[in-house]
Amino acid sequence: MLNIKTFTVNPLQENCYILSDETKECVIIDCGAFTENECKEIIDYIHSEQLKPVHLIATHGHFDHNLGIGAMQQAFGIKLKIHRADEQHVRNISQQAQDFMGMVVNFTPQIDAFITGGDIINFGTHHLQCIAAPGHSMGGLLFYCEEEKVLFSGDTLFRCSIGRTDLPGGSMFMIINSLRQLCQLPDSVTVYPGHGPLTTISYELAHNPYLDR
């Protein structure tokens, strides 16, 4: 059984997810924790549950989804996996944070490997399929666990909305194509977005004006 723990962090209320199963191996998705207390809460949860982080992954390279990767690197010795097209976003995380929110970021991101659509993230008895989803950024990814029918959509899909496309590397044409691909998933799939409440594919098909099958 897949356990999903959500931490809503930083001033932009970004959702960081910790996925684990009975083996105690876990995956950290979109660690945007900014304050010392936010980072400590995530680290303490991992320790209290006796989890072993084996992957630190991001749906894309925007700063609000990666502010905590330095703390995770230091605490657990794991480095980030991200799409190569968003590498420069991560490399420039300090400038992003300063430009958008006036935040000061004092760590150097370390990238372990580049991942792309079609790759598989294995942990414990589960695996996540990486689905390329450019549009919000060029290197956008979705992470889908087929056996548990859960999708981590980053900033591609929100409840009744989608990610903005007016930032560098964004494209409305691309995100619409990504959403068309996403719509082919089963109606019963639960969607865990980068911001806001969870939803389902069936709910979005019925209520989201950007989705159609």
Side-chain angles (χ1 to χ4, degrees):
M1 178 179 178
L2 187 65
N3 300 308
I4 303 171
K5 176 70 172 178
T6 306
F7 295 88
T8 301
V9 294
N10 75 48
L12 295 182
Q13 296 291 280
E14 183 266 338
N15 294 325
C16 169
Y17 299 106
I18 312 295
L19 281 55
S20 61
D21 64 18
E22 64 278 3
T23 70
K24 297 297 185 178
E25 289 191 347
C26 74
V27 175
I28 305 170
I29 300 178
D30 284 358
C31 190
F34 178 58
T35 68
E36 183 177 345
N37 283 341
E38 287 174 346
C39 293
K40 184 177 184 299
E41 187 178 5
I42 293 172
I43 292 168
D44 286 351
Y45 168 77
I46 290 172
H47 285 315
S48 68
E49 296 296 316
Q50 299 181 319
L51 302 179
K52 178 185 177 182
V54 291
H55 299 288
L56 173 63
I57 59 178
T59 57
H60 63 292
H62 290 158
F63 76 99
D64 55 317
H65 290 250
N66 293 284
L67 288 166
I69 61 175
M72 299 305 111
Q73 289 169 181
Q74 184 173 9
F76 303 113
I78 54 174
K79 301 175 184 179
L80 183 68
K81 294 180 174 69
I82 196 167
H83 196 290
R84 185 182 294 274
D86 272 16
E87 176 184 6
Q88 287 309 307
H89 284 315
V90 174
R91 301 291 188 198
N92 296 330
I93 191 170
S94 296
Q95 194 62 53
Q96 282 192 70
Q98 178 64 43
D99 290 347
F100 280 90
M101 298 293 294
M103 295 174 168
V104 177
V105 175
N106 293 314
F107 67 88
T108 300
Q110 298 179 39
I111 296 176
D112 176 42
F114 295 109
I115 51 178
T116 190
D119 287 350
I120 302 294
I121 303 293
N122 294 300
F123 67 104
T125 61
H126 290 79
H127 65 269
L128 299 172
Q129 300 174 30
C130 299
I131 302 172
H136 179 63
S137 71
M138 287 298 294
L141 291 168
L142 311 174
F143 301 119
Y144 178 48
C145 182
E146 183 176 11
E147 61 186 302
E148 303 278 356
K149 295 294 187 291
V150 294
L151 176 78
F152 300 88
S153 64
D155 286 2
T156 297
L157 176 66
F158 305 129
R159 184 179 174 91
C160 295
S161 187
I162 63 173
R164 59 190 293 185
T165 59
D166 59 332
L167 299 172
S171 165
M172 179 59 75
F173 175 78
M174 287 185 175
I175 203 170
I176 292 300
N177 283 338
S178 295
L179 291 166
R180 286 173 178 161
Q181 179 180 214
L182 185 155
C183 287
Q184 303 311 307
L185 296 176
D187 288 0
S188 59
V189 168
T190 300
V191 179
Y192 290 77
H195 302 269
L198 59 79
T199 185
T200 64
I201 295 297
S202 62
Y203 185 88
E204 295 311 306
L205 284 168
H207 298 91
N208 193 322
Y210 293 97
L211 268 66
D212 190 18
R213 182 175 283 165

